[in-house]
């Protein structure tokens, strides 16, 4: 992925993050609101409890000795939690007269003041009776209320924690289904290249993507027209040049044979060499035009070893024995490959011609064929820098070498090999050598 993330993943992460943030904000806001409501409800409950207990407390205290030790008021523990609310009954001097089971024996506050107060972690409600001589205090620990608020907030957060992964999965499925046309369009565009300029179907695409597909189709139509014009020009120019070049070569040969002196002969040789280079360039342009036209598609598998042997034999005859070529073929199970025979011959001839032309003088060119439908052509030469090696498959790319060349051979090979799903790999130094150059192709084996 080259460090990139998919659009679906980005959207799912963003949506999940927003959901979590909103959930946290909602839980915090709900917890604050709930804390306030719990406080209000408990304050009301404390006030009502104090007013219900006050008559009972007054009746209990009438006729009792106020100086006696504080007594336990058991009836005050009839709240629903048992020890949630505590009760103290105090006189106007602040002495504790009665208290509930779980209430402290020491005063809850210094001076009983009617209404709500807070002291030492207690929330206290004080109600006065008998002309301000008796006070009943109902108290509750504030920590109990905070605990309930936290439990309620946890109740908000628990569904968020449990549902967020499920929501992320659902979002992933929905987005993946919704963005499937984007993936389809991406695949269709990725499959378009110089040999496949077919229009992209727009009927099944959403409106937003259909506009993009139409623009791509328009661009490909213009590109197809430009490529067709280029191929026709290249093929026609190369074809039209072959006959006059052949005639000029014949005239140069005749002039060389009839040259009256050495100077005229040298000029005739230069003319012949120039015309020979022009003839080779014309042939390369013809091959390039055929490669661009997509000639590599095979109607039936061909024998890689046999085609290589024929090309080597033909090259040896046409080159007049220039350079030794060593061909190593599998002794059995010759690989059959999915490529047109003529296209394969063009590939092998260009590789051999490149190796002979740029290899060390007097050193053999080695060709080896593997059972895995691979072909390696190796020649001896100084090591080619990696920066220069990567550009040799570009059209009209030439090495800094004294040998002449058109700069099209490896470009033609790369074009044809790619059409049949193969690969071309260039190495320098060659495999197992300290120097040299190696061109290796891997074709698709039949069957």
């Amino acid at each position: 992925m080259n460090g990139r993330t998919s659009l679906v993943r980005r959207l799912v992460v963003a949506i999940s993050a927003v959901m979590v943030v909103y959930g946290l904000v909602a839980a915090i806001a709900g917890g604050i609101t709930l804390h306030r409501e719990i406080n209000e409800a408990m304050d009301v409950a404390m006030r009502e409890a104090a007013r219900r207990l006050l008559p009972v407390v007054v009746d209990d205290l009438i006729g009792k000795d106020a100086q006696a030790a504080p007594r336990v008021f058991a009836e005050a523990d009839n709240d629903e939690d048992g020890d949630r609310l505590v009760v103290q009954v105090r006189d106007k001097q602040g002495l504790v007269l009665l208290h509930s089971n779980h209430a402290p024996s020491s005063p809850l506050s210094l001076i009983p003041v009617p209404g709500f107060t807070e002291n030492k972690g207690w929330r206290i409600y004080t109600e006065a009776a008998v002309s301000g001589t008796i006070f009943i205090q109902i108290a509750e620990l504030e920590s109990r209320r905070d605990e309930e608020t936290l439990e309620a907030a946890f109740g908000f957060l628990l569904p968020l924690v449990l549902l967020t992964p499920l929501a992320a999965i659902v979002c992933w499925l929905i987005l993946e289904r919704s963005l499937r046309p984007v993936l389809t369009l991406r695949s269709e565009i990725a499959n378009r290249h110089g040999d496949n300029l077919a229009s992209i179907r727009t009927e099944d695409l959403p409106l937003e993507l259909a506009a993009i597909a139409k623009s791509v189709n328009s661009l490909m139509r213009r590109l197809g027209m430009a490529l067709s014009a280029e191929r026709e020009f290249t093929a026609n120019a190369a074809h039209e040049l072959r006959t006059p070049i052949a005639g000029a070569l014949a005239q140069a040969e005749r002039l060389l044979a009839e040259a009256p002196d050495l100077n005229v002969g040298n000029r005739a040789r230069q003319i012949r060499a120039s015309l020979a280079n022009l003839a080779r360039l014309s042939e390369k342009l013809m091959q390039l035009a055929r490669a661009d036209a997509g000639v590599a598609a095979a109607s039936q598998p061909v024998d890689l070893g046999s085609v290589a042997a024929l090309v080597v034999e033909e090259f040896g005859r046409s080159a007049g024995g220039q350079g030794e070529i060593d061909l190593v073929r599998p002794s059995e199970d010759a690989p059959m490959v999915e490529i047109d025979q003529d296209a394969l011959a063009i590939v092998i001839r260009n590789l051999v011609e490149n190796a002979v032309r740029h290899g060390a003088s007097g050193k053999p060119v080695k060709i080896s064929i593997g059972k895995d439908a691979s072909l390696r052509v190796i020649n001896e030469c100084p090591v080619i820098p990696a920066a220069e090696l990567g550009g040799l498959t570009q059209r009209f790319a030439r090495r800094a070498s004294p040998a002449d060349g058109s700069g099209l051979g490896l470009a033609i090979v790369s074009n044809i090999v790619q059409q049949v799903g193969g690969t071309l790999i260039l190495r320098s130094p060659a495999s197992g050598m300290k120097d040299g150059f190696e061109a290796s192709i891997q074709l698709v084996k039949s069957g």
Side-chain angles (χ1 to χ4, degrees):
M1 297 291 291
N2 294 326
R4 300 180 181 177
T5 56
S6 67
L7 182 60
V8 173
R9 182 176 178 180
R10 292 181 183 180
L11 290 174
V12 169
V13 171
I15 292 174
S16 300
V18 170
M19 290 174 56
V20 170
V21 171
Y22 276 125
L24 291 174
V25 172
I28 293 173
I32 294 173
T33 302
L34 186 61
H35 184 63
R36 184 176 63 251
E37 295 297 327
I38 288 176
N39 284 337
E40 292 177 359
M42 293 309 303
D43 286 349
V44 171
M46 291 169 64
R47 185 185 300 113
E48 292 178 354
R51 291 174 180 176
R52 286 198 307 267
L53 290 174
L54 192 57
V56 178
V57 169
V58 172
D59 291 341
D60 187 76
L61 289 177
I62 292 176
K64 295 294 192 321
D65 184 5
Q67 300 299 324
R71 292 181 293 111
V72 176
F73 186 56
E75 291 79 1
D77 293 331
N78 291 330
D79 61 279
E80 57 186 20
D81 286 336
D83 60 347
R84 181 185 186 95
L85 298 179
V86 298
V87 181
Q88 282 188 351
V89 179
R90 303 170 64 183
D91 59 14
K92 60 182 179 180
Q93 285 78 27
L95 296 176
V96 177
L97 305 177
L98 294 173
H99 65 81
S100 60
N101 284 335
H102 298 91
S105 58
S106 58
L108 292 171
S109 60
L110 294 177
I111 300 175
V113 179
F116 287 98
T117 58
E118 296 177 355
N119 185 50
K120 297 181 180 179
W122 291 94
R123 176 74 171 172
I124 306 168
Y125 176 73
T126 304
E127 186 82 19
V130 191
S131 302
T133 59
I134 296 177
F135 297 88
I136 184 171
Q137 290 184 315
I138 307 294
E140 180 184 18
L141 287 172
E142 293 182 332
S143 59
R144 290 289 300 271
R145 297 187 179 187
D146 295 338
E147 182 181 348
E148 290 183 351
T149 302
L150 290 177
E151 291 178 356
F154 182 75
F156 285 131
L157 290 174
L158 184 60
L160 176 67
V161 173
L162 296 178
L163 293 178
T164 296
L166 179 61
I169 294 174
V170 173
C171 287
W172 186 286
L173 295 176
I174 293 175
L175 289 173
E176 190 176 50
R177 182 178 180 86
S178 300
L179 294 177
R180 194 170 297 168
V182 177
L183 300 179
T184 301
L185 179 60
R186 182 189 69 176
S187 176
E188 290 290 334
I189 294 177
N191 290 331
R192 297 305 186 268
H193 47 76
D195 299 319
N196 180 16
L197 297 177
S199 298
I200 299 174
R201 290 175 53 86
T202 59
E203 292 80 2
D204 301 329
L205 295 176
L207 293 177
E208 297 82 359
L209 298 180
I212 298 176
K214 290 178 180 178
S215 299
V216 173
N217 288 338
S218 176
L219 178 61
M220 287 192 298
R221 281 194 297 269
R222 296 175 60 185
L223 179 60
M225 294 173 60
L227 289 176
S228 297
E230 179 186 351
R231 290 168 182 170
E232 290 179 4
F233 173 78
T234 302
N236 292 336
H239 179 73
E240 293 298 329
L241 285 174
R242 295 177 71 180
T243 300
I245 290 174
L249 272 173
Q251 293 297 325
E253 292 287 351
R254 185 176 179 85
L255 179 61
L256 182 59
E258 298 176 355
D261 54 39
L262 183 60
N263 291 332
V264 175
N266 290 335
R267 291 182 179 180
R269 290 187 188 87
Q270 293 175 359
I271 293 173
R272 183 180 62 180
S274 298
L275 290 172
N277 289 336
L278 186 57
R280 284 194 296 270
L281 177 59
S282 175
E283 181 65 26
K284 294 299 180 186
L285 291 175
M286 287 289 292
Q287 293 179 1
L288 182 62
R290 294 187 63 190
D292 287 340
V295 298
S299 57
Q300 59 184 8
V302 297
D303 187 338
L304 176 58
S306 298
V307 175
L310 288 174
V311 171
V312 170
E313 181 181 356
E314 177 189 358
F315 188 86
R317 289 198 305 267
S318 63
Q322 177 187 359
E324 180 183 355
I325 301 176
D326 295 335
L327 174 61
V328 179
R329 301 169 54 183
S331 56
E332 55 185 14
D333 297 331
M336 304 294 290
V337 292
E338 298 286 348
I339 187 173
D340 179 78
Q341 182 170 332
D342 290 339
L344 179 59
I346 292 175
V347 167
I348 299 175
R349 182 170 183 84
N350 276 283
L351 291 178
V352 174
E353 187 179 65
N354 184 77
V356 171
R357 187 180 303 277
H358 298 284
S361 177
K363 300 295 183 179
V365 173
K366 299 177 182 179
I367 304 175
S368 62
I369 298 174
K371 293 183 179 180
D372 59 347
S374 63
L375 182 141
R376 298 166 58 211
V377 180
I378 300 174
N379 61 271
E380 296 188 24
C381 68
V383 175
I384 302 174
E388 184 179 348
L389 192 67
L392 292 181
T393 56
Q394 301 297 321
R395 297 186 181 188
F396 300 104
R398 295 181 176 88
R399 287 180 51 200
S401 169
D404 57 348
S406 62
L408 292 174
L410 292 178
I412 294 171
V413 172
S414 177
N415 192 339
I416 294 177
V417 169
Q418 287 180 5
Q419 291 178 26
V420 293
T423 56
L424 168 65
I425 300 176
L426 306 180
R427 297 185 180 93
S428 184
S431 301
M433 298 174 57
K434 296 182 179 180
D435 55 9
F437 176 80
E438 174 185 346
S440 174
I441 61 171
Q442 178 66 58
L443 299 174
V444 179
K445 190 174 182 179
S446 177

